Amino acid sequence: MRRERKPVIGRSDGLPHASVATFELGNALGEWGCPVCRVTRRAAERWVWTLLYEHSGDPAVHQAMAETGGVCAAHGDLVQRVVAGRQLASSGAVARLYHTVVDAVRQRLDEGSRKVSGSRCPLCVREQEMGKHAAGILAEALKDVAWQEAYAESDGVCLPHLELCLAALRGRQRSWLRQDARQRLDALQYRLSEYCRKQRYDVDACITDEESDSWNEALWRVGGMWSDTLLVRDDH
Ligand SMILES: [Zn+2]
Ligand SMILES: [Zn+2]
């Protein structure tokens, strides 16, 4: 994540919500970028922390980690950030889990298995599930007019999560969300074209902040949002 907008504290306060997940989504609407990506990332960080703090000695968890072959490169980066940035999540816990992972990989290598590295990254699988779940909750919440108004003022969701939200909606609400997304894409395309145009040597025009940020916006809006800092801290 490159841009930080001042969070609208308690954005959720004025919204009807039925669960902790909805409350968190409501607050995420007050921050920059895709609210579904944001709550999914927060959940992934909590998952890593809980894994390291509570489950690094659990035989069932070791077995599951051995089968999956550990986490992918992107989630390896997240594990490192959680160890470096959170209390009680120790490097020793990672070492204990990966002692088992490495042992399983050695066995698969000895057995001549075609798939030595194991199955899919457990955190990739979990993030996909959590994203689908959060998108479903957001879609349900968007049936309410107050949520629609808060959503319209937010940055909206990325395209992968837009597809999930659209799939969960029908009729008028689906049309509304599709139209909202179309308007956001129209505006983004205009900013991209203005940024490209104003960079030409023969054009003497001031590039706005939104235009200079348009390529960053295009990256997260089309592909999903990422974070190079922890979103969950020890003090909240
Ligand atoms: Zn997203
Ligand atoms: Zn992964």
Side-chain angles (χ1 to χ4, degrees), residues 23 52 70 142 171 202 208:
F23 183 83
L52 299 182
L142 285 175
D202 57 338
T208 68

Side-chain angles (χ1 to χ4, degrees), residues 54-74:
E54 292 184 359
H55 299 299
S56 68
D58 184 336
V61 171
H62 276 256
Q63 175 69 25
M65 285 292 282
E67 289 168 5
T68 58
V71 298
C72 67

Side-chain angles (χ1 to χ4, degrees), residues 71-72 75 121 123-124:
V71 298
C72 67
H75 286 123
C121 163
L123 207 37
C124 281

Side-chain angles (χ1 to χ4, degrees), residues 26-170:
N27 278 337
L29 289 178
E31 300 185 69
W32 81 266
C34 171
V36 175
C37 282
R38 184 174 287 277
V39 299
T40 302
R41 164 67 185 228
R42 289 175 65 88
E45 290 183 20
R46 288 194 203 99
W47 188 89
V48 171
W49 184 87
T50 305
L51 174 75
L52 299 182
Y53 180 54
E54 292 184 359
H55 299 299
S56 68
D58 184 336
V61 171
H62 276 256
Q63 175 69 25
M65 285 292 282
E67 289 168 5
T68 58
V71 298
C72 67
H75 286 123
D77 178 76
L78 178 59
V79 170
Q80 288 178 324
R81 289 180 191 281
V82 171
V83 168
R86 296 288 312 274
Q87 293 174 9
L88 306 176
S90 73
S91 54
V94 182
R96 280 193 292 281
L97 288 165
Y98 270 76
H99 185 273
T100 301
V101 171
V102 171
D103 195 41
V105 171
R106 287 169 63 232
Q107 281 183 35
R108 288 196 282 271
L109 199 59
D110 289 349
E111 291 162 1
S113 301
R114 287 172 63 105
K115 186 73 176 153
V116 177
S117 60
S119 58
R120 202 172 160 211
C121 163
L123 207 37
C124 281
V125 173
R126 186 140 183 85
E127 270 201 343
Q128 195 172 24
E129 291 169 356
M130 290 186 296
K132 192 173 180 184
H133 180 67
I137 290 173
L138 178 62
E140 186 62 32
L142 285 175
K143 293 175 181 173
D144 185 282
V145 173
W147 272 85
Q148 287 182 11
E149 289 172 356
Y151 182 84
E153 290 174 10
S154 78
D155 282 347
V157 291
C158 66
L159 289 189
H161 289 136
L162 175 69
E163 287 178 350
L164 293 174
C165 288
L166 287 173
L169 289 171
R170 295 283 175 274

Side-chain angles (χ1 to χ4, degrees), residues 118-232:
S119 58
R120 202 172 160 211
C121 163
L123 207 37
C124 281
V125 173
R126 186 140 183 85
E127 270 201 343
Q128 195 172 24
E129 291 169 356
M130 290 186 296
K132 192 173 180 184
H133 180 67
I137 290 173
L138 178 62
E140 186 62 32
L142 285 175
K143 293 175 181 173
D144 185 282
V145 173
W147 272 85
Q148 287 182 11
E149 289 172 356
Y151 182 84
E153 290 174 10
S154 78
D155 282 347
V157 291
C158 66
L159 289 189
H161 289 136
L162 175 69
E163 287 178 350
L164 293 174
C165 288
L166 287 173
L169 289 171
R170 295 283 175 274
R172 206 153 37 86
Q173 278 118 6
R174 189 176 184 181
S175 300
W176 175 84
L177 185 59
R178 189 189 291 119
Q179 182 62 25
D180 173 276
R182 176 58 195 262
Q183 287 172 357
R184 292 179 196 274
L185 290 172
D186 289 350
L188 172 60
Q189 190 154 34
Y190 176 75
R191 288 193 288 274
L192 287 167
S193 62
E194 282 295 276
Y195 186 48
C196 295
R197 183 182 72 83
K198 291 178 181 177
Q199 282 192 319
R200 285 188 354 224
Y201 72 93
D202 57 338
V203 175
D204 183 20
C206 185
I207 298 173
T208 68
D209 289 344
E210 286 191 325
E211 288 162 0
S212 66
D213 191 49
S214 61
W215 65 279
N216 278 310
E217 180 188 347
L219 285 172
W220 77 255
R221 194 173 288 286
V222 173
M225 208 170 76
W226 71 100
S227 175
D228 57 7
T229 57
L230 291 181
L231 300 185
V232 179

